[in-house]
Amino acid sequence: MANPLFDRLFACHAGRADPFLHLPGDGVLSYDAFLAVSARLANALAAVGLVPGDRLAAQVAKSPEALALYAACARAGVIFLPLNTAYTDEELRYFIEDSGAKMVVCDPVREAGLAPLAKGLGAALMTLDGAGGGSLTAAAAEQPETHAVVDRAGNDLAAFLYTSGTTGRSKGAMLSQHNLLSNALVLADLWRFTDADVLLHALPIFHTHGLFVATNVTLAAGGSMIFLPKFDVDAMIAHLPRATAMMGVPTFYTRLLDDKRFDRDLVGHMRLFVSGSAPMLAETHDRFAARTGQRILERYGMTETNMNTSNPYEGERRAGTVGFPLPGVELKICHPETGAALPEGEIGVIEVRGPNVFQGYWQMPDKTAAELRPDGFFITGDLGRLDGDGYVSIVGRGKDLIISGGYNIYPKEVEVVLDDQSGVLESAVIGVPHPDFGETPVGVLVAAPGEVPDLEAIGAAVAARLARFKHPRELIVVEELPRNTMGKVQKNVLRDRYAGLFDGVAQGAQA
Ligand code: MLC
Ligand code: AMP
């Protein structure tokens, strides 16, 4: 047998002294050196008893070692579960318990907080810091740099990614080797990636975009990556001259456009700019084209499906659209209730089928059945339409979701915490336009009878329980929440009422 994902993305580069990662400063990590690190790490996982199919939960800063841990899991057949570094202990506890992780890798500063939980679950706990140090790398250093790659099949699971749901309980999306590999190969071909490409990589690697799109596509083509710890405008501008391509969320592009150093001279050599994870305003598209003479290539994907559609590499990259279904991906616009396919031009729910679509939600058969039809079509929850030329446009969401700087925020998760606070009778969390993050959460509260909510105390309580990016940027107290005749809160009314809340806020300013 073999290990399709590891063989095609990693092992095929064995012996290559060429750079895989260009590091800040002038450091370079070759493919061969990277593979040696992954081998030592894979041996270290085996040494603590991990076997194929076990889950490894990793909440670690972006580093070459963190990326090598992903490769180590692939070669060891361990299911990789990357976790947003902003998650609090309370959020982490859920993911670690729900996934049944046999091993937890965290930053040393989080070790004390997670030790009792890991112990209680019988999970090994090791550390990895942003500089690549920690007990995990110390253990790996004792291990040989050769490792016998474990046999895997394409339908074996390679990763879990948790994506919250409108009910507030996060769901573990199960991604197979074939889900990841098939999508990476299609994208590398469609976007013309080659071993000459140098991708400017400033995305986090705990989500689909930075890990399964940017990294896997580069690996599929054998290119290299300028591996930045995070997005920073100055760093982007300093490194763009050495890059050939870049991937980012819309906030990356609006921030770059706000810097006059970002101009045609700086990027004339670049061959590709890709955007996704959140809507790109047509106005941003046009600003970018006017400034650089190049057009951003916008694509659409999800944690559950990897990438679904892409604007063409050759041909019109139509602003306000997410292009065409990828080769091998079927897409239809369906009636929200009946699921029947709707004629061209009509707005409905986007459903997709293909090798990119996940294997279901971990231990949630009912939620899986509710979103994954027996015929294999996945109900995305996104509202879209097809135009006369076949371009897909996303025109809204049938799911209660806010996307802030590319991160998903599910209002229910925040409403549960707000409703828990003394002085609060009920709450509604809505997404409001924000010039920097695209959308930002705002909490609308109704006070308990005769009480005056202490907004500062409420903000502190939210901060203690939820990742920073989920925190409502404003808390507003109202007499009552608007409801329809069925008694359902009309969030659209609230969105309209507060749409202009952050108009005039400078880009990057914290309102
Ligand atoms: C950081 N903060 C955010 C935030 N990112 N708050 C809300 N939304 C965000 N996205 C917090 C910081 O912790 C900080 O808190 C404060 O906001 C100001 O931070 P900042 O300096 O302005 O933000 P920055 O650190 O620059 O990060 C912004 C960003 C980052 C856009 C660079 O969010 C980012 O890299 N986003 C990419 C997300 C991503 O990879 N999405 C892909 C999902 S996969 P404080 O308290 O310290 O001030 C997917 C599928 C697909 O969607 O299709 O790809
Ligand atoms: P996630 O679950 O984090 O992968 O987020 C997936 C969601 O991001 C999708 O369901 C869409 O709502 C949104 N999304 C991704 N790409 C785009 C895009 N190009 N335009 C608009 N929304 C997008």
Side-chain angles (χ1 to χ4, degrees), residues 216-250:
N216 283 1
V217 165
T218 300
L219 286 163
S224 62
M225 303 196 293
I226 299 170
F227 205 57
L228 300 185
K230 64 171 287 194
F231 178 89
D232 169 88
V233 172
D234 294 333
M236 298 298 279
I237 286 170
H239 287 96
L240 271 164
R242 290 170 56 206
T244 63
M246 169 188 158
M247 294 184 195
V249 296

Side-chain angles (χ1 to χ4, degrees), residues 163 277-279 298-299 301-303 322 382 394 397 399 403 408:
T163 174
S277 308
E298 188 169 6
R299 81 327 171 259
M302 286 182 78
T303 294
V322 290
D382 290 306
I394 296 176
R397 290 174 207 133
K399 50 195 173 184
I403 305 183
N408 283 8

Side-chain angles (χ1 to χ4, degrees), residues 378-395:
F378 174 70
I379 305 167
T380 66
D382 290 306
L383 301 180
R385 83 165 157 254
L386 285 165
D387 71 15
D389 299 323
Y391 282 84
V392 179
S393 294
I394 296 176
V395 298

Side-chain angles (χ1 to χ4, degrees), residues 167-381:
T167 59
R169 248 187 100 231
S170 278
K171 306 169 287 187
M174 299 186 284
L175 295 158
S176 69
Q177 287 216 350
H178 187 51
N179 288 150
L180 301 184
L181 181 56
S182 63
N183 210 240
L185 295 176
V186 161
L187 294 174
D189 181 53
L190 196 70
W191 295 343
R192 310 285 196 282
F193 272 82
T194 71
D195 59 8
D197 269 303
V198 180
L199 179 77
L200 184 50
H201 191 306
L203 288 158
I205 53 172
F206 45 70
H207 274 311
T208 298
H209 198 159
L211 190 58
F212 301 140
V213 183
T215 303
N216 283 1
V217 165
T218 300
L219 286 163
S224 62
M225 303 196 293
I226 299 170
F227 205 57
L228 300 185
K230 64 171 287 194
F231 178 89
D232 169 88
V233 172
D234 294 333
M236 298 298 279
I237 286 170
H239 287 96
L240 271 164
R242 290 170 56 206
T244 63
M246 169 188 158
M247 294 184 195
V249 296
T251 302
F252 284 23
Y253 294 107
T254 52
R255 288 189 180 181
L256 285 168
L257 284 169
D258 280 342
D259 191 310
K260 59 183 184 314
R261 294 172 295 170
F262 185 78
D263 61 15
R264 211 171 282 242
D265 292 344
L266 182 73
V267 299
H269 67 289
M270 292 285 285
R271 93 179 165 80
L272 183 64
F273 292 93
V274 179
S275 178
S277 308
M280 161 77 71
L281 297 177
E283 178 250 340
T284 305
H285 253 278
D286 296 339
R287 271 180 74 199
F288 190 91
R291 177 82 68 84
T292 66
Q294 302 193 42
R295 290 190 69 79
I296 288 172
L297 183 152
E298 188 169 6
R299 81 327 171 259
Y300 157 55
M302 286 182 78
T303 294
E304 292 91 335
T305 64
N306 293 284
M307 297 304 107
N308 296 316
T309 74
S310 172
N311 266 279
Y313 189 79
E314 311 286 356
E316 185 195 354
R317 297 175 186 173
R318 190 167 290 183
T321 83
V322 290
F324 307 110
L326 298 181
V329 174
E330 296 167 87
L331 182 145
K332 53 185 184 179
I333 306 293
C334 300
H335 188 284
E337 266 80 50
T338 68
L342 296 174
E344 172 198 295
E346 288 206 18
I347 292 175
V349 178
I350 297 173
E351 295 192 16
V352 293
R353 177 168 65 183
N356 57 315
V357 174
F358 76 147
Q359 305 306 300
Y361 296 114
W362 169 251
Q363 294 185 333
M364 290 187 177
D366 296 347
K367 287 201 191 294
T368 300
E371 295 181 29
L372 198 51
R373 297 186 186 284
D375 63 4
F377 271 96
F378 174 70
I379 305 167
T380 66

